[in-house]
Amino acid sequence: MRRGKVLMERFESAVLTGNPARDPSVRTVPVYLPPSYESSPDRRYPVVFVLAGFTGRGRMLLNDNPWSPALDDRMDGLIAAGCDEMILVLPDCFTRFGGSQYLDSSATGRYETHLVEELVPWADARFRTLPGRDHRGIAGKSSGGYGALTLGMKHPDIFGAVACHSGDMYFDYCYRGDVPRFCAQIQQAGGLERWLERFESKRQKSHDDLLTLNVLGMAAAYSPDPGRPPFGIDLPCDLETGAFREDVWARWLSCDPLAMLDARVEALRSMRRLYFDCGVKDEFNLQHGARLLHRRLDALGVPHEYEEFDDGHMNISYRYDVSLPRLGKALAG
Amino acid sequence: MRRGKVLMERFESAVLTGNPARDPSVRTVPVYLPPSYESSPDRRYPVVFVLAGFTGRGRMLLNDNPWSPALDDRMDGLIAAGCDEMILVLPDCFTRFGGSQYLDSSATGRYETHLVEELVPWADARFRTLPGRDHRGIAGKSSGGYGALTLGMKHPDIFGAVACHSGDMYFDYCYRGDVPRFCAQIQQAGGLERWLERFESKRQKSHDDLLTLNVLGMAAAYSPDPGRPPFGIDLPCDLETGAFREDVWARWLSCDPLAMLDARVEALRSMRRLYFDCGVKDEFNLQHGARLLHRRLDALGVPHEYEEFDDGHMNISYRYDVSLPRLGKALAG
Amino acid sequence: MRRGKVLMERFESAVLTGNPARDPSVRTVPVYLPPSYESSPDRRYPVVFVLAGFTGRGRMLLNDNPWSPALDDRMDGLIAAGCDEMILVLPDCFTRFGGSQYLDSSATGRYETHLVEELVPWADARFRTLPGRDHRGIAGKSSGGYGALTLGMKHPDIFGAVACHSGDMYFDYCYRGDVPRFCAQIQQAGGLERWLERFESKRQKSHDDLLTLNVLGMAAAYSPDPGRPPFGIDLPCDLETGAFREDVWARWLSCDPLAMLDARVEALRSMRRLYFDCGVKDEFNLQHGARLLHRRLDALGVPHEYEEFDDGHMNISYRYDVSLPRLGKALAG
Amino acid sequence: MRRGKVLMERFESAVLTGNPARDPSVRTVPVYLPPSYESSPDRRYPVVFVLAGFTGRGRMLLNDNPWSPALDDRMDGLIAAGCDEMILVLPDCFTRFGGSQYLDSSATGRYETHLVEELVPWADARFRTLPGRDHRGIAGKSSGGYGALTLGMKHPDIFGAVACHSGDMYFDYCYRGDVPRFCAQIQQAGGLERWLERFESKRQKSHDDLLTLNVLGMAAAYSPDPGRPPFGIDLPCDLETGAFREDVWARWLSCDPLAMLDARVEALRSMRRLYFDCGVKDEFNLQHGARLLHRRLDALGVPHEYEEFDDGHMNISYRYDVSLPRLGKALAG
């Protein structure tokens, strides 16, 4: 099998310099170049930005696993089986809160801007990409699927195809149920700052730790509040009384793809390909949101492809076998 | 140690005859008579109705356990240690949906009426109780705590003291997060009827099975709808689209003790004793609701006793060691 | 349905008086009397001693459960469906180490003697039993199944039929794998005495707690050693080095029904009925032992009935629906 | 921070060509070159072979993780903090049975030979290593720790220092308890061949799946039997009767480091550094074996360093922070 090549690129981000969460502004951005890249020096390729899920970053998509190929090996295999050759760019938008949801937030930094205004032009300049949104796609799983779908909605001039696997949506079902436990965890730790310190110092993160980080990460993305100590984040609960905060929740909901949809219908309609799927046993209940999105798009007459598969939320990178060839076909020159 | 005696009374309920869920109208109602009951034939005793939690019934409170005494043994021990002697009545308000929340519902039956209008007078007639609400208390844990608290709110003429352990309240935190999974389970089974059939035929009930039954049981109690096949129950989700149903949820919320409070303040104020507690690690997040209730009662100037303990929701019958002596003192002649 | 009656008998045991583990010598022994017992004052009935599993005692067999009848209700139902009427005696052989395996041990007490020499004659004297081993059976599940099988082997003059559900056997598979963790738990606690103190004071027993108690309980039964402080028990591991102790293990193995078999073949051959079964997913791997026993009995030409069922080790009291009618038929007058 | 470099080397193994398990003979062997490697073209470095655990291979040691650095990043950090610069070679000895235990087996292939006779000379030829056993170490965790310790025992002429984290030893405690469940899993699947097929086709591997693979992998390593279909492996249980096979087990035990010790004392005594550790909560009970080894080495007067840490078996790559600097110091020129 002919193999592509992975470059571990070092990217110094101006946009992320001095970011409020004090995360690094220099990031490692792995880039997959397809098998013919070196031997065909005049050829240009479509490019797909692949976004990691929560607590992930690009390099993690290359992690080796005994029974599931890393993304580079997977791509080699797909290409060998007939998939169009593509460049894959694997951004790092990780933060100390576990992720950024790939959007601009006063609490974490301008990750959407970093991606769209820095990485996209950089990739075009540095690699032989086919220029233009018609040859540029975006894909991801979980929070990466959220990023792919919403960046497609917001930047149809930049991205011409979207693949979203088990993406965060219908926040009432995928996040809200975790708020009470989040609240208890933070209260027990004696506040956000102490909780985060402890979390960072723990060798083994428990299920409750990661659940709590997840809510915190979402709050950092969806309800930042520059005036609120210690982290400039409004929480969906009142730490003193424990009560749910409907006002903060309303801010979260405005970031829900289902809520964003009406204002972004034409963006999605313009996609050369819009693919999304979800497992019917998704532990975060995301299949409900995916079905609602599917139903809404049908009603709106927006072309798309929707699949369900018999699995949960974890260890489903094999779903890229379904989406990447479709993106390849849609974005090919 | 002097021991009391348990009678397993057979009660034929007129109120439950022909109940819509086709549950039995004849129930076994265990009654605990204190040690001196037989030897002091002229003495009268306070009476406490103790309500079992969801999936429970009175007899279950007598279940033996190697390291936690059954309620009769516990009561013997408390009395030996100085607690006032009391009669305990252990109603059976179980239904095929797992419970009744001790209220009248067109989907399950009139369990509140059964308790208040049948069992209370029956107990007074059949046993040497001290008559009157000042000598009659109500207690329970979990859904039984919900029952104790709300029956106290609704019938201050009947009950003069309340003890509520880890009671259902603040439904936004204790039930709502389970709706998405409930919805998926029912959808996967092919509808409510099929789900219930399968549930009943399964030897081993899984965690998801019991979570699903819990939501169904609450819907049977809080949002019955006589016209809705197959069971006359409105669900908090649309089984076709999967969407949350805010209209049904509003009906549930009206049964939340926190929502009922304003109209029932004087009932609670009239209690000779109002005790409630919750574990700080409650798996159903009930500590948040308990704190909100405590805060509200404080603001309203309603006397009450509130405790938190370092435990979760399960296997906490030792909390009766705290509440029963207080009820005894409040209700003694 | 005609119903039997349960008497909660108080039994003062001479044999258990001053037992080494300082457990009570007065025990509650529930006795089930069949529906016709009162109305047919001249009739005599077969009797079956039903033994609870580890951490259990007779009263626990009567525990109520929403979807699985207690043993008295189950017996009522079986009799209504045609099963012979029988008296059931439910002994209490619990100890502070979680159980006694129904044998005489210098560490716990003479539970075998208590059962065979005290309870059996008492039951014959106090109730209208059909006298003689041909009308007396013994049954149980898990450690109770072990007790039923081994007491049948050792006392064919007393018991004429045996039913063993998921009984402890093939100790290499059902106990040995737990020794390393047991050892670690005791070491971490700082010795047996401290471990037991902590265990007894914990409100919630963890999985590791119960695993540890199980090994301790078996050691108390199979390898007592009067000279060994603090409890007169030899352990299957060296608490100082952590090493497995083959010498102690050899003592355990001598109590394994598979090892006892050769010397007790004729006892088993004499049974009017020998029934045993096991779930194919038994969490303690007991199905392997059951199959080996079945194979050995076949080779020896000992009549028996063996069944496997598609379930694990817990919540399988429905298996009494299979065994009790067979015992009834075998023991009927 | 100055950074080293990782080369993903492609290694065509003559030794593994035509291996019996039909695993690839071409492997990716990542090699870490320290920061000064390129800028100091005349300098030579110690080399450490780092062995992955069961179900792992060298590349997996480089997997990215949000809160625990990959081995290359970890090494960069250690060197920045003063650790001697070293080359790290990360072999791939994975097989379809989950691993090879880094030994020669007629069932899997000659992985020990591959490592010692192929990779060692190749590394010396291809990279600027300091030649000789005094500058060559071997390290690993879990099955990799087993490999490091036993290869050190067997090849003191090749390796001059050993670091073993939570290594497999005292097989009575770390493997034997899993045999009954292994046996049941294979029986239920209808034999080894079917089990392996199903295993390989399952997207999600369950806990029982991995436990079963573990026993199979150990049997492939410790009790191969060329004449035994389908895989040339003797199992520690009889699949027909379910019984434990003491004869096969004796073969396993001969591969236990504790059993190998007596014949290899001088090899270990010759090490420039012998380091091992284990977590006190090791889920595979390996702390017991580690302590026994420590005790034996002490008794034999073999210099070594032994540590225990407060953790379990998983996610403990941070222990390399302890071992790698010690290896560096021991192996430096």
Side-chain angles (χ1 to χ4, degrees), chain C residues 48-67:
Chain C
V48 174
F49 288 75
V50 187
L51 309 182
F54 193 67
T55 75
R57 54 187 172 188
R59 186 178 165 181
M60 228 174 288
L61 298 168
L62 303 175
N63 278 0
D64 194 34
N65 177 298
W67 301 288

Side-chain angles (χ1 to χ4, degrees), chain D residues 70-131:
Chain D
L71 190 59
D72 54 336
D73 291 339
R74 185 178 299 279
M75 197 65 214
D76 286 343
L78 289 171
I79 289 168
C83 174
D84 292 87
E85 294 197 51
M86 296 187 287
I87 294 168
L88 304 179
V89 178
L90 314 182
D92 172 3
C93 297
F94 186 69
T95 74
R96 72 179 301 205
F97 303 115
S100 65
Q101 297 301 95
Y102 303 97
L103 51 72
D104 288 353
S105 154
S106 63
T108 58
R110 294 186 294 136
Y111 287 89
E112 177 176 341
T113 302
H114 162 61
L115 220 153
V116 168
E117 296 186 13
E118 284 189 332
L119 287 187
V120 166
W122 166 81
D124 284 343
R126 179 147 172 70
F127 303 103
R128 280 180 273 113
T129 60
L130 280 167

Side-chain angles (χ1 to χ4, degrees), chain A:
Chain A
M1 187 165 68
R2 295 172 60 229
R3 294 208 168 272
K5 186 172 181 173
V6 171
L7 304 180
M8 303 299 278
E9 298 287 301
R10 186 173 181 276
F11 188 91
E12 301 192 17
S13 166
V15 163
L16 298 182
T17 300
N19 66 74
R22 303 192 184 179
D23 286 302
S25 60
V26 181
R27 302 290 176 119
T28 297
V29 181
V31 176
Y32 169 87
L33 302 175
S36 73
Y37 193 88
E38 282 191 56
S39 56
S40 307
D42 297 332
R43 187 170 163 189
R44 290 187 162 272
Y45 301 85
V47 61
V48 174
F49 289 75
V50 187
L51 309 181
F54 193 68
T55 76
R57 53 187 175 189
R59 186 177 164 183
M60 227 174 289
L61 298 168
L62 303 175
N63 279 1
D64 195 33
N65 177 299
W67 300 290
S68 174
L71 190 59
D72 54 336
D73 291 340
R74 186 178 298 281
M75 198 64 214
D76 286 342
L78 289 171
I79 290 168
C83 174
D84 292 86
E85 294 196 52
M86 296 187 288
I87 294 168
L88 304 180
V89 178
L90 314 182
D92 173 1
C93 297
F94 187 69
T95 75
R96 73 178 299 204
F97 303 114
S100 65
Q101 298 300 95
Y102 303 98
L103 50 73
D104 289 353
S105 154
S106 64
T108 59
R110 295 185 296 135
Y111 287 89
E112 176 176 343
T113 302
H114 161 62
L115 220 154
V116 168
E117 297 186 12
E118 284 190 330
L119 287 186
V120 166
W122 166 81
D124 285 342
R126 180 148 172 67
F127 304 102
R128 280 179 274 112
T129 59
L130 280 167
R133 63 87 76 177
D134 282 355
H135 307 292
R136 190 182 300 116
I138 189 156
K141 187 219 132 186
S142 195
S143 285
Y146 173 85
L149 181 61
T150 55
L151 290 172
M153 282 179 171
K154 294 193 262 186
H155 303 284
D157 51 319
I158 307 284
F159 302 107
V162 165
C164 164
H165 298 294
S166 307
D168 296 17
M169 60 186 84
Y170 204 34
F171 292 0
D172 272 310
Y173 275 14
C174 69
Y175 301 141
R176 185 170 174 151
D178 292 336
V179 171
R181 197 165 304 249
F182 165 81
C183 186
Q185 294 285 316
I186 302 294
Q187 288 175 328
Q188 277 171 29
L192 265 187
E193 214 156 5
R194 279 198 185 169
W195 181 87
L196 195 58
E197 261 169 44
R198 276 188 213 175
F199 173 85
E200 289 174 346
S201 71
K202 285 173 86 167
R203 297 248 187 239
Q204 309 290 348
K205 320 296 189 194
S206 71
H207 177 81
D208 268 356
D209 290 334
L210 293 173
L211 175 155
T212 303
L213 185 76
N214 192 55
V215 175
L216 177 56
M218 297 309 128
Y222 304 141
S223 52
D225 176 357
R228 168 85 56 182
F231 298 126
I233 299 174
D234 272 344
L235 301 180
C237 58
D238 181 318
L239 287 181
E240 198 189 341
T241 67
F244 192 68
R245 287 191 56 185
E246 296 282 358
D247 57 333
V248 174
W249 186 246
R251 294 184 61 196
W252 287 41
L253 285 185
S254 71
C255 303
D256 188 331
L258 292 172
M260 294 167 64
L261 184 58
D262 282 333
R264 314 283 186 173
V265 173
E266 295 319 309
L268 290 183
R269 200 188 302 280
S270 79
M271 290 295 143
R272 297 172 70 90
R273 202 121 192 186
L274 171 57
Y275 173 86
F276 60 102
D277 62 17
C278 196
V280 294
K281 300 171 190 162
D282 192 282
E283 287 85 353
F284 297 93
N285 311 305
L286 292 167
Q287 78 273 31
H288 297 295
R291 287 170 191 165
L292 288 170
L293 178 62
H294 168 51
R295 195 177 274 262
R296 292 277 300 282
L297 292 174
D298 265 358
L300 292 161
V302 175
H304 65 283
E305 295 155 32
Y306 173 58
E307 292 192 2
E308 296 189 358
F309 53 92
D310 185 27
D311 211 337
H313 193 77
M314 313 311 288
N315 308 317
I316 53 170
S317 56
Y318 62 87
R319 296 302 302 175
Y320 283 114
D321 292 350
V322 178
S323 63
L324 290 174
R326 299 186 190 205
L327 290 182
K329 193 167 291 178
L331 300 170

Side-chain angles (χ1 to χ4, degrees), chain B residues 103 119 123 129 155 166 175 234 245 288:
Chain B
L103 50 72
L119 288 186
T129 60
H155 303 285
S166 308
Y175 301 141
D234 272 344
R245 285 191 56 186
H288 297 295

Side-chain angles (χ1 to χ4, degrees), chain A residues 57 203, chain D residues 63-71 74 315-318:
Chain A
R57 53 187 175 189
R203 297 248 187 239
Chain D
N63 279 0
D64 194 36
N65 178 298
W67 300 290
S68 174
L71 190 59
R74 185 178 299 279
N315 307 318
I316 53 169
S317 56
Y318 62 87

